[in-house]
Amino acid sequence: MNTYQDYIQEIEERKSQGLNPKPIDGAELLSDVISQIKDVNNKDREDSLNFFIYNVVPGTTPAAGLKAKFLKEIILGESVVAEITPAFALELLSHMKGGTSVEVLLDLALGTDAAIAKDAAAVLKTQVFLYEADTDRLEEAYKSGNAVVKEILESYAQAEFFTKLPEIAEEIKVITYIAGEGDISTDLLSPGNQAHSRSDRELHGKCLISPEAQDEIKALAEANPDKSVMLIAERGTMGVGSSRMSGVNNVALWTGKKASPYVPFINIAPIIAGTNGISPIFLTTVGVTGGIGIDLKNWAKKLDAEGNVLVDAAGEAILEEVYSVATGTVLTINTKTKKLYNEDKELIDISSSLTPQKVEFIKAGGSYAIVFGKKLQTFACKTLNIDIPQVYAASKEISIEGQGLTAVEKIFNKNAVGTTPGKVLHAGSDVRVTVNIVGSQDTTGLMTSQELESMAATVISPIVDGAYQSGCHTASVWDNKSKANIPRLMKFMNDFGLITARDPKGEYLAMTDVIHKVLNDLTVDDWAITIGGDSHTRMSKGVAFGADSGTVALALATGEASMPIPQSVKVTFKGEMKEYMDFRDVVHATQSQMLHQFKGDNVFQGRVIEVHIGTLTADQSFTFTDWTAEMKAKASICISEDATLIESLEIAKGRIQIMIDKGMDNASQVLKGLIAIADKRISEIKSGDKPALTPDVDAKYFAEVVVDLDVIAEPMIADPDVNNIDVSKRYTHDTIRPLSFYGGDKKVDLGFIGSCMVHKGDMKILAQMLKNIDEQQGKVEFKAPLVVAPPTYNIVDELKAEGDWEILQKYSGFEFDDNIPKAIARTSYEKMLYLERPGCNLCMGNQEKAAKGDTVMATSTRLFQGRVVEDTEGKKGESLLSSTPVVVLSTILGRTPTIEEYKVAVKGINLTKFAPPHKQLVR
């Protein structure tokens, strides 16, 4: 049976799932298809033609390369296919985006046949995904006096690939669909437990919200063919928790429009909205697809006659509906007035959704085309030696005389590209910046590789200091899905130039360390910018932004990212931390105190949290920066004292050296280069030439939050509040409760210590607590299972060297073995300690899960519905988030402890302590 027959068999299998044929990306299959097209008597010729025309993945896939070369044969008359004329072949090339298709177009444009050269040039003028190899050919031909190339460059200089596109419609009619009440996490749009299918877009689309919701959306779309379905988070924020390109892809698949008639299952231009807008990183993802994200503000706080906010019995602000967006409501987006209307009634100004830059994304079908278009225009003008015509919307440059800079403003000014020379920029300015570190994680990595292929990128940008492909999200279960996907991903990324957790050649042992922890070590400059494919890409050195798989691909390919300089909220501390408290409690209290200080308004949302941490190393302070994703912040920056930063950099150097010793460095010696950057930074700090990053004393902030350590008197727990009568207040991360709220009698079914929120100190706390309990009670007996997943292997190695791992082994009933990794996820747990391999484990929800309906006490970051634990018919699953000592004690007792029990259990144990910096950290 040949490859084609295997494909036909797969098609039959997919039919039973209600799926169309899978898009072709392999050369072997397409070679069979082409052979059958050439054989005019072949019984499969008609199907093969359809597969060739409509079902090949574009870009740099092996199939795309073969397709482009066959189309070239047709255009040159070397092959004759009645159904594909030379003109149609050129049209098909125009939809293939780059890679071999551009190479073919250049071959034709530079060829000896004048008519073909002219036609090929016309197509080339519409293309933007050109790389150095392509532009070098154009430049060389131009210098040789090629008239056709001169025309192409003149077209590029005027950015005709953009200016000749149709203008966006003045009015866009939408019909509303309430996707849920309250915050909508990206798990609703693209569940973590379906991560394995993300690269199969049609299959993955089946997991959007629910089958019932899909039917309702389909019915709305069919009944309103002239309108777009707008998905809404009613009384909440859309897209919290993750960037999740797959979530936007799913929304676009059901509500958007086809990007090309010749490219399967790639839709663009979704329209989404939320009462409280769109999560910042998710909004970036919407821009990748040329979509629109709207902050509806359709509910507002109710005021009394004096203008005071009215509150309910629980002290919560009472909300009242300003206007209805109930499912089936027809609204109009006016792109000229930048207003939202219900018939003739103006509802709200939506200028922030339709900035000049966002309008360009919409017109171009996504942000990539704009980024590459600008680079291509710059190249053409430089080659022609002319000034760059003002085609694109001018970048907004805000410079306020006499006003100092926040930390993020300083970093953006340092890394800015193409701004007015000598101009100091403040928040709100549109800036293109160089990126230092890039991270790709394993459940979105296959999508990132697809994005790189679609934009015809083949090698990492030389201006990126380092990039890493993780294996942590698929670490807990090495099942058939992982075996099929992960080695393929690692090979692609390794070939592309990334440091990879798994060696495609098998020469070093697989590393499943949590991506954020690795990136936190690879970031060796407090002035660095990091882009990572996960919402928790929030380093405690430099500034890091969680991003969708496409933005990660763009950063890898170009070494750049574009965004406005964000506003900042300054967080400082006063008072003294009580000896029995853990730093995790400070983190939760920060969120709670902020909401209290600002009467329920989350001033962190969409902004950078500049936390003046001062004295905690990057490992420990990462607990704070990591949690800022759940605070809905865009990013965070740690302001450290000089000595603390040096200590953090030395730790990072040691861990990078471990990676080098394992054999993980590549031919470019990226890891060795990062150590050199760290050494240079340490030298600058020690000499006083360039101290640790601090804001200016006269910097301006959106808000300032002062956290009072004196009032944090007991452990603080983030509660999903699953039974809140107000559905919109469930699963929000905003309900922070003291331990005493539970009265010592809330049943706990399972405990989880792991994910990116813990560090080596947490593992040592666990060991100390077990040892103490044994000494106090004569044994260690678990009344609930305790799952432990250390963040990294080096932490395990250090614990072994220091004797703590031996303690954990003594009390465990299971210990991971990398030689025999689990092939099947657990469905039930015994009342014992499980020592799992490093990685995300339960926090991801895509492999291991708690039993349905469980109440889980976890150090994780995730309390979303269905993530760590799913509901049963009779009981809602709960994932309560707390410190390591609370989790340990809850599993020993099988319930939440009282504050008295807690104090006894942690007495004499070295918890993660924090003392505010002794002096104001400003320049």
Side-chain angles (χ1 to χ4, degrees):
M1 187 178 287
N2 66 15
T3 309
Y4 182 81
Q5 292 305 317
D6 291 343
Y7 186 53
I8 296 302
Q9 183 177 325
E10 181 190 69
I11 289 172
E12 290 303 313
E13 292 169 358
R14 287 173 71 88
K15 277 183 184 177
S16 66
Q17 304 173 62
L19 298 171
N20 289 289
K22 199 171 182 179
I24 298 171
D25 59 8
E28 188 177 355
L29 173 56
L30 196 67
S31 181
D32 288 347
V33 166
I34 292 171
S35 294
Q36 289 166 180
I37 291 172
K38 289 180 176 180
D39 180 2
V40 294
N41 296 315
N42 192 287
K43 64 182 178 62
D44 295 313
R45 185 174 184 276
E46 185 177 347
D47 285 342
S48 294
L49 271 166
N50 282 327
F51 293 145
F52 181 83
I53 294 170
Y54 299 106
N55 211 45
V56 176
V57 178
T60 57
T61 64
L66 201 57
K67 180 174 180 176
K69 288 172 183 174
F70 185 48
L71 291 172
K72 180 183 179 182
E73 290 178 19
I74 293 172
I75 293 164
L76 292 174
E78 296 168 359
S79 291
V80 177
V81 179
E83 296 85 352
I84 304 176
T85 64
F88 186 32
L90 282 166
E91 182 182 351
L92 289 174
L93 282 170
S94 75
H95 288 259
M96 292 180 66
K97 298 298 182 186
T100 309
S101 65
V102 167
E103 181 185 334
V104 164
L105 287 167
L106 282 167
D107 289 344
L108 297 171
L110 298 174
T112 56
D113 189 309
I116 291 176
K118 181 180 178 182
D119 291 341
V123 176
L124 267 174
K125 291 174 185 178
T126 67
Q127 304 298 294
V128 294
F129 293 111
L130 276 70
Y131 288 85
E132 193 171 276
D134 306 313
T135 54
D136 284 350
R137 290 184 70 186
L138 287 170
E139 185 175 7
E140 184 180 345
Y142 170 72
K143 288 177 179 177
S144 298
N146 188 299
V148 172
V149 169
K150 183 173 183 290
E151 282 186 21
I152 294 170
L153 291 176
E154 287 171 345
S155 176
Y156 287 164
Q158 297 299 322
E160 290 182 346
F161 42 70
F162 174 72
T163 60
K164 289 191 174 182
L165 293 172
E167 296 298 325
I168 67 172
E170 181 174 346
E171 289 190 345
I172 301 172
K173 296 283 186 182
V174 300
I175 187 160
T176 62
Y177 181 79
I178 303 295
E181 282 195 54
D183 289 350
I184 291 181
S185 86
T186 46
D187 261 18
L188 188 73
L189 310 177
S190 168
N193 61 8
Q194 297 299 310
H196 62 276
S197 67
R198 286 177 185 159
S199 58
D200 185 345
R201 293 199 184 202
E202 188 192 17
L203 173 59
H204 194 66
K206 298 285 186 182
C207 70
L208 176 80
I209 309 176
S210 68
E212 295 76 20
Q214 293 164 22
D215 289 342
E216 291 165 0
I217 291 168
K218 186 177 179 181
L220 274 176
E222 288 177 349
N224 299 271
D226 61 329
K227 302 175 186 70
S228 296
V229 177
M230 179 168 74
L231 259 60
I232 295 174
E234 175 75 312
R235 291 198 294 164
T237 303
M238 175 66 83
V240 300
S242 298
S243 45
R244 200 80 45 99
M245 186 80 202
S246 54
V248 171
N249 284 344
N250 280 352
V251 176
L253 198 63
W254 286 97
T255 68
K257 58 186 181 184
K258 280 180 70 69
S260 163
Y262 309 116
V263 179
F265 311 120
I266 295 182
N267 281 20
I268 59 173
I271 301 175
I272 58 175
T275 292
N276 300 327
I278 318 297
S279 173
I281 53 177
F282 197 60
L283 188 58
T284 300
T285 318
V286 174
V288 168
T289 61
I292 302 174
I294 298 175
D295 187 356
L296 291 170
K297 300 177 183 173
N298 60 312
W299 288 82
K301 292 176 181 177
K302 193 171 184 179
L303 307 177
D304 62 18
E306 284 75 43
N308 300 310
V309 176
L310 295 173
V311 297
D312 58 20
E316 300 273 359
I318 298 172
L319 301 179
E320 58 182 352
E321 191 176 55
V322 179
Y323 61 92
S324 174
V325 291
T327 294
T329 304
V330 176
L331 303 173
T332 301
I333 297 169
N334 190 298
T335 62
K336 301 300 181 188
T337 64
K338 301 187 178 182
K339 303 284 177 66
L340 183 67
Y341 296 89
N342 186 331
E343 295 183 344
D344 294 331
K345 183 182 179 183
E346 180 185 319
L347 300 178
I348 191 170
D349 182 278
I350 54 172
S351 298
S352 61
S353 302
L354 296 166
T355 63
Q357 285 74 26
K358 289 178 182 178
V359 168
E360 289 177 343
F361 296 166
I362 298 166
K363 178 178 175 177
S367 58
Y368 296 168
I370 298 299
V371 173
F372 276 85
K374 288 179 177 179
K375 288 173 75 75
L376 192 54
Q377 184 192 29
T378 301
F379 154 75
C381 292
K382 182 179 179 182
T383 304
L384 294 170
N385 196 26
I386 61 173
D387 292 335
I388 301 175
Q390 189 69 48
V391 170
Y392 295 101
S395 294
K396 187 194 300 180
E397 293 190 341
I398 298 173
S399 185
I400 304 169
E401 191 173 347
Q403 180 177 305
L405 298 175
T406 64
V408 75
E409 287 170 339
K410 285 188 174 182
I411 292 176
F412 269 64
N413 275 276
K414 174 187 177 291
N415 292 279
V417 177
T419 55
T420 303
K423 194 170 187 178
V424 176
L425 302 179
H426 288 86
S429 301
D430 296 314
V431 182
R432 212 168 90 234
V433 290
T434 55
V435 174
N436 304 91
I437 303 293
V438 185
S440 170
Q441 53 103 329
D442 39 326
T443 52
T444 60
L446 283 171
M447 293 177 60
T448 298
S449 67
Q450 287 180 334
E451 298 287 344
L452 288 167
E453 287 175 331
S454 73
M455 63 177 72
T458 57
V459 66
I460 191 170
S461 168
I463 65 174
V464 173
D465 291 332
Y468 175 71
Q469 171 62 58
S470 81
C472 57
H473 289 70
T474 52
S476 52
V477 181
W478 190 235
D479 56 15
N480 289 333
K481 294 169 184 173
S482 298
K483 290 174 186 176
N485 290 332
I486 302 306
R488 179 161 53 99
L489 168 65
M490 294 294 168
K491 183 179 187 316
F492 180 95
M493 290 301 190
N494 201 280
D495 290 345
F496 199 83
L498 281 73
I499 303 298
T500 51
R502 291 178 181 273
D503 183 5
K505 298 175 183 175
E507 292 177 3
Y508 58 80
L509 293 176
M511 186 173 81
T512 57
D513 291 0
V514 176
I515 180 173
H516 323 299
K517 292 293 191 182
V518 178
L519 292 179
N520 205 38
D521 289 332
L522 298 186
T523 305
V524 289
D525 186 350
D526 49 328
W527 291 77
I529 293 178
T530 298
I531 297 290
D534 192 288
S535 61
H536 291 94
T537 305
R538 287 148 193 271
M539 305 303 101
S540 36
K541 300 185 290 290
V543 65
F545 298 94
D548 59 276
S549 56
T551 301
V552 170
L554 199 62
L556 287 170
T558 67
E560 294 182 4
S562 298
M563 68 186 85
I565 301 178
Q567 293 177 311
S568 294
V569 176
K570 183 178 182 180
V571 174
T572 55
F573 303 88
K574 69 177 183 179
E576 188 174 338
M577 188 175 168
K578 293 174 175 54
E579 63 176 11
Y580 57 85
M581 301 304 292
D582 186 81
F583 182 61
R584 177 71 183 253
D585 302 313
V586 174
V587 172
H588 286 184
T590 298
Q591 187 161 350
S592 179
Q593 291 189 26
M594 176 274 295
L595 290 169
H596 178 74
Q597 288 175 34
F598 291 92
K599 297 180 170 54
D601 284 340
N602 185 353
V603 296
F604 292 151
Q605 182 163 344
R607 301 182 179 94
V608 171
I609 299 176
E610 184 185 285
V611 54
H612 288 233
I613 210 83
T615 58
L616 277 184
T617 63
D619 263 15
Q620 297 167 313
S621 56
F622 187 78
T623 304
F624 190 103
T625 58
D626 203 25
W627 184 257
T628 61
E630 314 317 334
M631 297 179 187
K632 301 180 186 175
K634 187 175 181 68
S636 59
I637 290 182
C638 281
I639 306 301
S640 295
E641 293 181 351
D642 286 354
T644 304
L645 179 56
I646 290 171
E647 184 181 355
S648 295
L649 292 172
E650 291 289 0
I651 292 170
K653 281 175 54 184
R655 290 180 177 166
I656 294 170
Q657 187 60 52
I658 289 170
M659 295 172 73
I660 294 172
D661 294 343
K662 286 181 178 179
M664 296 180 70
D665 213 350
N666 57 17
S668 301
Q669 294 191 307
V670 164
L671 296 177
K672 186 177 179 181
L674 291 174
I675 289 181
I677 293 171
D679 282 334
K680 179 175 181 289
R681 189 70 192 99
I682 290 168
S683 176
E684 290 172 340
I685 298 168
K686 286 182 175 179
S687 68
D689 291 343
K690 191 177 179 183
L693 171 68
T694 59
D696 290 331
V697 69
D698 53 350
K700 186 175 181 181
Y701 297 89
F702 177 82
E704 297 192 30
V705 175
V706 180
V707 180
D708 189 348
L709 300 177
D710 288 335
V711 302
I712 309 173
E714 55 182 306
M716 308 294 285
I717 295 173
D719 193 318
D721 204 9
V722 297
N723 296 310
N724 194 314
I725 194 168
D726 185 344
V727 176
S728 71
K729 292 178 181 176
R730 300 175 188 170
Y731 310 105
T732 67
H733 286 92
D734 286 345
T735 302
I736 308 291
R737 288 173 168 154
L739 183 63
S740 58
F741 173 86
Y742 304 95
D745 58 7
K746 184 176 180 67
K747 186 174 183 289
V748 173
D749 300 298
L750 183 142
F752 172 54
I753 296 172
S755 85
C756 44
M757 287 293 284
V758 296
H759 54 87
K760 177 183 170 182
D762 289 277
M763 298 294 111
K764 294 183 80 69
I765 290 168
L766 166 61
Q768 287 176 296
M769 287 189 74
L770 294 177
K771 191 176 178 181
N772 286 3
I773 290 166
D774 195 354
E775 291 173 356
Q776 293 163 7
Q777 301 179 12
K779 62 178 180 178
V780 173
E781 183 180 352
F782 291 94
K783 293 186 178 175
L786 176 58
V787 178
V788 176
T792 62
Y793 280 95
N794 67 279
I795 285 176
V796 174
D797 291 341
E798 289 168 21
L799 293 172
K800 286 178 178 178
E802 295 164 16
D804 297 282
W805 192 258
E806 187 178 347
I807 297 170
L808 299 182
Q809 287 175 313
K810 177 181 177 181
Y811 300 112
S812 70
F814 170 86
E815 182 181 0
F816 75 92
D817 183 350
D818 276 329
N819 296 313
I820 317 172
K822 289 200 306 290
I824 301 173
R826 285 197 183 88
T827 56
S828 62
Y829 297 81
E830 296 178 37
K831 293 176 180 177
M832 65 183 195
L833 170 63
Y834 293 83
L835 288 178
E836 298 287 354
R837 77 198 301 195
C840 303
N841 203 277
L842 285 165
C843 187
M844 259 301 292
N846 64 320
Q847 292 187 322
E848 300 277 75
K849 275 187 176 299
K852 291 183 179 180
D854 270 1
T855 294
V856 180
M857 189 70 76
T859 61
S860 174
T861 55
R862 301 305 203 189
L863 50 66
F864 303 131
Q865 186 174 18
R867 183 63 175 265
V868 172
V869 55
E870 295 176 356
D871 298 339
T872 64
E873 204 166 305
K875 183 179 182 299
K876 291 181 178 296
E878 298 177 272
S879 179
L880 286 79
L881 310 181
S882 65
S883 66
T884 291
V886 170
V887 174
V888 176
L889 196 52
S890 295
T891 58
I892 294 293
L893 299 172
R895 58 171 172 80
T896 53
T898 64
I899 185 63
E900 291 76 19
E901 289 172 323
Y902 170 83
K903 286 182 179 179
V904 170
V906 300
K907 190 168 185 177
I909 290 177
N910 184 27
L911 302 177
T912 309
K913 292 290 189 290
F914 168 64
H918 304 299
K919 59 181 180 179
Q920 193 177 14
L921 300 178
V922 293
R923 289 276 185 269

